[in-house]
Amino acid sequence: MSDQNVRNAGFTPSGISAGSLASSMMSHEARSSGGGVHSGGPTSTLQEMGARGTTHSSGFTSSGISSGSRGSHMMSQEAKSHGGGTPRGGTTSTVQSI
């Protein structure tokens, strides 16, 4: 995942950009969870990366998720909590797609 892709999606060091993919994701996630954005969810994970200004070492690459990385750990935890698979639209698939 490139830093530029994260910024282009609207996840920036100064917050989520109005009218961006990031703001749309945040709105959708908040509505579906009753009004808030969960820590560790797609929006908060991507915003954390955008705020730091770097996605390096996250493990999300154009070739897939790197073994032993933060991304790999996230994918494993998400799969365990969903009975063995990562759901479409979940944190791992959303972050990997960006």
Side-chain angles (χ1 to χ4, degrees):
M1 168 186 337
S2 78
D3 296 337
Q4 190 62 44
N5 287 351
V6 172
R7 282 189 300 274
N8 288 346
F11 298 99
T12 72
S14 58
I16 291 177
S17 301
S20 66
L21 171 63
S23 67
S24 176
M25 283 177 59
M26 183 174 67
S27 175
H28 176 75
E29 190 175 340
R31 280 193 312 268
S32 68
S33 67
V37 176
H38 296 290
S39 176
T43 302
S44 65
T45 300
L46 285 161
Q47 181 53 37
E48 177 188 345
M49 291 177 183
R52 283 186 288 147
T54 182
T55 59
H56 301 297
S57 77
S58 64
F60 295 97
T61 73
S62 59
S63 303
I65 297 174
S66 302
S67 177
S69 67
R70 178 177 178 206
S72 174
H73 177 73
M74 286 173 60
M75 182 174 67
S76 177
Q77 293 300 315
E78 191 171 18
K80 286 177 187 174
S81 69
H82 288 91
T86 54
R88 182 181 189 121
T91 302
T92 304
S93 63
T94 301
V95 174
Q96 180 61 28
S97 71
I98 291 177

